């Protein structure tokens, strides 16, 4: 395909998959249960953090996390007593265990009680420096309190080469202004043109098959390469093509 034909093809696939039907089988289903901004971003962050493996399992376990917060994530983080964090000690999603879960919940509680929450920390850092440097700075800040080193692996660091798929996906959910009703667009200070593609196996394989990506590894260099190409197709909303690439890979056995 020519560049124009490829853009037309991806635009068509984006329109096909950027729809409410997408929500039913995706972890973004979890934050769509809520209407308050803080509930949306907290449940979305936790769903994104455990978003690897089968999507049904991700949704089931993310639902458990919300239930453990009494289905009121923000209220729980703001008012939970120390002994209430123990209820997360038996949570397990693949390698994300009770130790990790308790730390993440406690740390989020600190962010909302003592700082400006996720938008005021992660969002501010990304707005100031871009996704790569912003996510890296947020990881340093998030783990600047006592913790077990094992928990660090659950937050990616793009400056150390990671594609940071899950956090880039979370940022897409929070920032992107979506006429299709999937992404929320509730964070107003990050331009959606700044966002990076949430690169995973599916999007990477499809991008290579279509000639959009040459690098073989799904790492930060591949993210930057694919970002540059997608911005040629839409400078204002390049990550909308995540729907196209992911949908083709998952639903069409491309």
């Amino acid at each position: 395909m020519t560049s124009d034909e490829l853009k037309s093809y991806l635009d068509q696939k984006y329109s096909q998959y950027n729809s409410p039907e997408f929500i039913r089988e995706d972890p973004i289903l979890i934050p769509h249960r809520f209407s308050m901004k803080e509930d949306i971003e907290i449940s979305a962050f936790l769903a994104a953090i455990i978003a690897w493996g089968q999507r049904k399992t991700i949704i089931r376990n993310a639902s458990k996390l919300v239930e453990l917060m009494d289905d009121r994530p923000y209220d729980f983080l703001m008012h939970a007593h120390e002994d209430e964090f123990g209820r997360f000690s038996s949570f397990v999603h693949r390698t994300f265990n009770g130790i990790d879960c308790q730390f993440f919940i406690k740390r989020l509680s600190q962010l909302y009680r003592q700082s400006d929450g996720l938008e005021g920390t992660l969002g501010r850092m990304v707005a100031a420096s871009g996704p790569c440097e912003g996510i890296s700075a947020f990881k340093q800040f998030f783990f600047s309190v006592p913790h077990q080193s094992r928990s660090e692996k659950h937050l990616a660091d793009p400056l150390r080469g990671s594609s940071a798929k899950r956090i880039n996906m979370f940022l897409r959910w929070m920032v992107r202004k979506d006429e299709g009703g999937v992404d929320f667009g509730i964070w107003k200070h990050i331009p959606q043109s700044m966002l990076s593609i949430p690169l995973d196996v599916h999007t990477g394989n499809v991008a290579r098959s279509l000639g959009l990506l040459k690098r073989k590894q799904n790492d930060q260099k591949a993210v930057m390469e694919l970002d540059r190409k997608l911005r040629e197709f839409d400078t204002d909303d390049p990550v909308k093509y995540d729907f196209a690439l992911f949908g083709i890979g998952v639903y069409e056995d491309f």
Side-chain angles (χ1 to χ4, degrees):
M1 288 185 280
T2 66
S3 180
D4 287 344
E5 289 171 338
L6 183 53
K7 180 184 184 307
S8 178
Y9 173 69
L10 291 176
D11 283 338
Q12 184 263 316
K13 290 299 179 182
Y14 157 69
S15 298
Q16 178 181 343
Y17 291 114
N18 182 216
S19 68
E21 286 73 23
F22 179 87
I23 295 172
R24 291 197 290 263
E25 298 180 345
D26 192 81
I28 202 173
L29 171 71
I30 304 302
H32 269 285
R33 297 176 182 176
F34 300 99
S35 58
M36 189 169 75
K37 173 182 178 291
E38 291 81 4
D39 285 335
I40 291 169
E41 62 191 10
I42 292 164
S43 61
F45 180 79
L46 291 170
I49 288 297
I50 65 167
W52 81 101
Q54 294 185 340
R55 286 192 292 165
K56 288 183 179 179
T57 304
I58 296 165
I59 292 170
R60 182 175 68 246
N61 287 338
S63 294
K64 288 180 182 177
L65 283 175
V66 170
E67 291 167 7
L68 287 169
M69 292 185 285
D70 302 322
D71 292 310
R72 295 184 300 172
Y74 179 64
D75 185 72
F76 180 85
L77 293 185
M78 291 299 293
H79 300 107
H81 299 293
E82 182 66 26
D83 58 354
E84 292 183 271
F85 293 113
R87 66 177 68 176
F88 300 93
S89 62
S90 60
F91 181 84
V92 177
H93 177 79
R94 298 173 73 92
T95 63
F96 188 85
N97 68 12
I99 293 171
D100 308 314
C101 191
Q102 285 189 87
F103 173 76
F104 270 72
I105 297 297
K106 285 183 179 180
R107 189 66 177 120
L108 285 172
S109 179
Q110 292 170 353
L111 294 190
Y112 281 89
R113 294 187 195 194
Q114 302 169 14
S115 300
D116 295 321
L118 282 165
E119 184 176 14
T121 52
L122 173 59
R124 175 178 55 80
M125 293 170 184
V126 171
S129 307
C132 186
E133 289 79 7
I135 292 170
S136 181
F138 176 74
K139 177 171 184 174
Q140 292 182 43
F141 175 71
F142 196 81
F143 290 107
S144 63
V145 298
H147 64 279
Q148 292 197 23
S149 59
R150 59 158 289 117
S151 299
E152 294 182 14
K153 65 185 176 184
H154 299 296
L155 260 181
D157 188 345
L159 291 184
R160 300 189 68 176
S162 173
S163 68
K165 176 255 182 178
R166 287 173 281 167
I167 297 300
N168 279 319
M169 180 178 69
F170 170 72
L171 289 171
R172 195 203 83 199
W173 294 352
M174 294 299 99
V175 173
R176 189 173 167 272
K177 301 167 184 65
D178 185 8
E179 295 179 359
V182 180
D183 294 328
F184 292 94
I186 56 176
W187 286 10
K188 305 301 183 182
H189 302 296
I190 303 173
Q192 62 185 16
S193 59
M194 181 186 284
L195 296 174
S196 283
I197 191 78
L199 180 65
D200 66 3
V201 172
H202 301 293
T203 55
N205 287 344
V206 173
R208 291 182 188 93
S209 297
L210 293 174
L212 296 169
L213 179 62
K214 294 181 179 179
R215 187 168 176 81
K216 295 180 179 180
Q217 299 97 320
N218 290 328
D219 58 9
Q220 181 59 28
K221 289 183 179 179
V223 171
M224 295 171 67
E225 180 185 341
L226 187 53
D227 280 349
R228 286 192 294 270
K229 189 63 181 178
L230 295 179
R231 287 188 177 107
E232 293 178 9
F233 294 153
D234 193 324
T235 56
D236 179 61
D237 188 16
V239 297
K240 75 180 188 183
Y241 294 113
D242 183 36
F243 289 97
L245 298 174
F246 183 82
I248 294 167
V250 171
Y251 298 111
E252 301 183 22
D253 296 324
F254 189 86

